[in-house]
Amino acid sequence: MCGTLGVVKVAVIVVAAGSGTRLAAGAPKAFVPLAGSTILEHALHSVAGMRDEPHVIVVAPAELVDDARGMLSRVIGRGEVVAGGATRQASVAAGLALVGDADIVLVHDAARALTPSALFDRVVDAVAASGAGAIPGLPVSDTIKRTADGGAIVETVDRSELSAVQTPQGFPAAELIAAYASAARDVTDDAQLMADAGHPVAVVEGDPLAFKVTTLWDLRRAEELLRPASATRIGVGTDTHAFAQADAPLWLACLEWPGERGLAGHSDGDPVAHAIVDALLAAAGVGDIGTVFGTSDPRFAGAHGEVFLAEARRLVEHAGWRIENVSVQLIGNRPRFAPRKAEAEARVSGLLGAPVAITATTTDGLGFTGRGEGVAAIATALIAR
Ligand code: CTP
Ligand code: MG
């Protein structure tokens, strides 16, 4: 039909008029909350993501037609809503009355809230290519038994010839409308009516995400799949200070080191604190030590590391993050760090409210640290939402 018509017009009917008795969530199923919106809105997002712009028809419970209209206009911004019937079949029939001049109709259960848009496109393509019905299906992985009343096994069904079918189910519009007009029995999917009317329907590859939310367990699974992966960020920072010429005190890792030669700097020259500040600010994407603590700002002249760390922590938390941990390495010949390592870690961890590990190393006599001209520090910070 693609070849003769050029542009294929597609209508998508989203049936959302069921009551959701098995879910029993206190509202008609399509209007039950799911990850911050509703099952119906999730389904409509899938339709919105289709490659082509179909005509969209939502079939809703009569008392929720206005609610559904609001959701449709928010998510897709076009389309129409109609009241459904007592059975799924009656609801589809109500939607079919509005397909207009569509060439292909897709019927989709709102309850299959997580169906990928690509599955809609795949079904459209299959119908357009074959001119016949196409429905998504997946192989059945459980062994299936046919049982009698009371549970006695009658036979094991050969599962290799079974398909668990899903929606959207796609058909040539005229054939589906005619099949509905001449329907002689109640069915649970549209492919059955098409088969009854003598039309071939093929199964195309389905998608596990097109599972139907039927029970509370399914709803939990959908919530779980929609939960955002926990966000984490890392940042790195370094700082270097030369030993001071004059007789200045040494401040390192927010501790004073009596008897050790001090470091030069606008503030107290604490490279451990400054490297951590840069790592934290970088992780949160809120600037760096130069932009946040300008050297012209008198509040920071001669300030100790704790002032910088407290402000960096505040900025990180203000941006919605919490500090997970920090790792710092101090590079230099002096001071001998090991004797006060535990004290330094406890001090900085306390200031940041997160575990901080501080290690120290020398550079085997190489470079400015090896020559004893100054010390450097490298910090890595991990933050999370
Ligand atoms: N549906 C419909 N009109 C009906 C019955 C069902 O539009 N009278 C829709 C449902 O809203 C759902 C889809 O058909 O999106 C599949 O039906 P099902 O999963 O059975 O949903 P419910 O009938 O709502 O659930 P239950 O059978 O547990 O009551
Ligand atoms: Mg039902």
Side-chain angles (χ1 to χ4, degrees):
M1 61 194 303
C2 213
T4 55
L5 289 165
V7 178
V8 177
K9 289 190 182 150
V10 178
V12 178
I13 300 172
V14 179
V15 283
S19 56
T21 22
R22 286 168 291 178
L23 186 60
K29 184 158 72 182
F31 298 82
V32 166
L34 170 60
S37 62
T38 57
I39 287 180
L40 175 57
E41 284 165 287
H42 281 282
L44 291 176
H45 274 292
S46 302
V47 175
M50 288 175 67
R51 188 190 47 210
D52 311 308
E53 284 196 359
H55 177 48
V56 185
I57 300 150
V58 174
V59 187
E63 71 280 12
L64 289 170
V65 164
D66 285 342
D67 295 50
R69 208 167 270 139
M71 293 176 190
L72 181 60
S73 93
R74 272 199 301 284
V75 179
I76 304 190
R78 55 169 209 283
E80 47 196 327
V81 180
V82 64
T87 61
R88 182 185 185 279
Q89 196 169 331
S91 295
V92 175
L96 271 179
L98 301 176
V99 298
D101 61 352
D103 305 303
I104 293 175
V105 175
L106 264 53
V107 182
H108 183 56
D109 294 334
R112 300 182 187 273
L114 273 49
T115 306
S117 303
L119 189 59
F120 288 76
D121 295 338
R122 190 181 303 156
V123 171
V124 171
D125 288 346
V127 179
S130 67
I135 67 175
L138 288 174
V140 173
S141 51
D142 292 321
T143 295
I144 307 288
K145 308 283 188 193
R146 192 183 309 283
T147 56
D149 286 349
I153 292 167
V154 177
E155 64 167 335
T156 298
V157 183
D158 178 7
R159 73 172 175 222
S160 69
E161 49 185 42
L162 296 182
S163 222
V165 304
Q166 309 174 319
T167 72
Q169 302 194 344
F171 310 95
E175 285 179 11
L176 185 64
I177 291 167
Y180 262 82
S182 62
R185 59 169 180 148
D186 245 2
V187 294
T188 54
D189 81 341
D190 312 288
Q192 287 178 66
L193 278 189
M194 289 292 279
D196 286 356
H199 300 297
V201 179
V203 172
V204 300
E205 192 187 353
D207 193 302
L209 285 172
F211 72 92
K212 191 170 64 142
V213 174
T214 304
T215 62
L216 195 55
W217 190 87
D218 299 319
L219 186 64
R220 292 225 179 98
R221 180 151 62 115
E223 291 273 5
E224 206 55 46
L225 286 162
L226 290 166
R227 196 201 301 281
S230 76
T232 56
R233 297 277 187 279
I234 62 162
V236 67
T238 71
D239 191 42
T240 302
H241 284 282
F243 283 113
Q245 300 299 332
D247 201 13
L250 175 68
W251 284 86
L252 205 58
C254 303
L255 297 177
E256 189 174 5
W257 297 67
E260 293 285 347
R261 190 168 162 199
L263 293 162
H266 172 68
S267 62
D268 69 355
D270 183 341
V272 171
H274 298 170
I276 293 174
V277 167
D278 255 345
L280 287 171
L281 298 177
V286 291
D288 59 38
I289 199 165
T291 56
V292 172
F293 308 94
T295 46
S296 57
D297 191 329
R299 281 181 303 155
F300 306 119
H304 291 307
E306 63 211 50
V307 174
F308 296 86
L309 288 173
E311 178 64 3
R313 177 182 177 180
R314 195 189 65 77
L315 289 169
V316 166
E317 290 175 351
H318 183 72
W321 301 93
R322 71 172 181 274
I323 303 170
E324 287 287 294
N325 79 304
V326 173
S327 170
V328 202
Q329 187 158 51
L330 177 69
I331 306 161
N333 296 346
R334 294 209 58 83
R336 286 241 315 113
F337 191 75
R340 298 187 72 189
K341 172 180 163 71
E343 190 187 350
E345 289 179 340
R347 172 86 176 122
V348 181
S349 298
L351 288 166
L352 295 182
V356 177
I358 309 175
T359 56
T361 187
T362 60
T363 50
D364 214 8
L366 297 173
F368 70 87
T369 52
R371 292 189 297 272
E373 294 166 10
V375 299
I378 302 174
T380 304
L382 182 72
I383 60 175
R385 282 223 186 266

